[in-house]
Amino acid sequence: DTAVSQTPKYLVTQMGNDKSIKCEQNLGHDTMYWYKQDSKKFLKIMFSYNNKELIINETVPNRFSPKSPDKAHLNLHINSLELGDSAVYFCASSGQDRDTEAFFGQGTRLTVV
Amino acid sequence: AQSVTQLGSHVSVSEGALVLLRCNYSSSVPPYLFWYVQYPNQGLQLLLKYTTGATLVKGINGFEAEFKKSETSFHLTKPSAHMSDAAEYFCAVSRGTGGFKTIFGAGTRLFVKA
């Protein structure tokens, strides 16, 4: 059973399109995240979300929006895709305590052409 | 404020040689520290973590790290590199509960030569 699963694994789309990436975790964690990893492997936090609180990295364009139908799911919706959005997007989840590690999905490689 | 600095974006070792990946942190609270590994085309997975107690922490695949408060360091080592260790390694510090609680370093790519 995969702990954090995201789909699709690969996504190729044209500029201007709207797309979504789905994420599900079966770990019972309260907090889920979206990260963007650029071509230099740098990890940038985009969102942190639990039942009560959405925290948005202020550098993330408002074309990006997280949507959580329930505690186990946090989907990422992207409007009006741009070339610079090409990257690998990772979903992750963790418990609330400081000493708990994050569990990552396998990533979604988004290519905007 | 918390931050993490990984010295060296690339490290190359020969198979069987010592692996040393450097991580320094800054933290305004007692730090909780993590090392993650990312194999090609995969997500990150935990190698080891330090929270409290013993400062030498052992992880998976023969890796270990030592928390040195006086040096604000948490370097990752493995006595003998294997080809399968080739990957990207990330050091991270936890800065609290909730929110953006984990700060990641920029990563170090480990190359292992035959």
Side-chain angles (χ1 to χ4, degrees):
Chain A
D1 247 359
T2 304
V4 181
S5 59
Q6 50 183 112
T7 56
K9 189 170 174 65
Y10 300 97
L11 183 55
V12 181
T13 188
Q14 291 186 326
M15 285 175 53
N17 285 350
D18 302 339
K19 290 293 179 185
S20 292
I21 306 172
K22 295 185 177 181
C23 179
E24 176 182 5
Q25 56 97 2
N26 62 6
L27 298 168
H29 286 157
D30 292 319
T31 307
M32 297 182 72
Y33 311 84
W34 277 104
Y35 287 86
K36 177 180 180 181
Q37 187 175 47
D38 62 23
S39 58
K40 295 184 178 180
K41 301 295 185 181
F42 183 72
L43 272 171
K44 173 184 172 182
I45 181 77
M46 301 177 72
F47 304 101
S48 169
Y49 186 83
N50 63 22
N51 293 349
K52 306 169 187 175
E53 187 178 28
L54 170 64
I55 299 179
I56 301 170
N57 185 330
E58 62 186 14
T59 66
V60 175
N62 58 15
R63 298 181 294 102
F64 291 78
S65 57
K67 299 186 189 302
S68 180
D70 56 58
K71 182 177 156 180
H73 296 82
L74 183 66
N75 303 325
L76 180 65
H77 191 75
I78 316 169
N79 290 327
S80 303
L81 278 155
E82 300 177 358
L83 292 177
D85 297 333
S86 296
V88 181
Y89 292 84
F90 287 100
C91 177
S93 72
S94 75
Q96 292 276 41
D97 296 333
R98 241 188 102 201
D99 63 348
T100 58
E101 64 269 27
F103 289 78
F104 284 78
Q106 295 291 294
T108 297
R109 182 175 295 277
L110 171 65
T111 304
V112 182
V113 297
Chain B
Q2 282 74 19
S3 69
V4 176
T5 302
Q6 292 184 239
L7 300 176
S9 59
H10 297 85
V11 170
S12 181
V13 300
S14 298
E15 194 172 21
L18 172 71
V19 175
L20 171 59
L21 304 182
R22 299 177 188 274
C23 173
N24 288 89
Y25 69 90
S26 67
S27 178
S28 55
V29 297
Y32 286 6
L33 296 157
F34 305 80
W35 275 100
Y36 289 82
V37 60
Q38 183 182 24
Y39 297 106
N41 299 314
Q42 293 188 27
L44 281 71
Q45 63 184 86
L46 183 73
L47 264 181
L48 49 79
K49 65 180 179 182
Y50 168 79
T51 55
T52 58
T55 56
L56 182 62
V57 181
K58 294 186 184 300
I60 62 172
N61 300 337
F63 283 93
E64 61 184 34
E66 187 171 11
F67 168 63
K68 291 187 177 181
K69 184 177 178 180
S70 61
E71 299 177 7
T72 61
S73 69
F74 190 56
H75 301 333
L76 182 71
T77 60
K78 181 174 180 178
S80 177
H82 192 272
M83 296 296 287
S84 61
D85 294 327
E88 191 86 22
Y89 291 81
F90 293 90
C91 183
V93 61
S94 174
R95 64 177 187 176
T97 57
F100 296 161
K101 71 182 184 77
T102 303
I103 304 297
F104 286 89
T108 298
R109 181 69 182 271
L110 176 65
F111 296 91
V112 182
K113 300 175 291 185

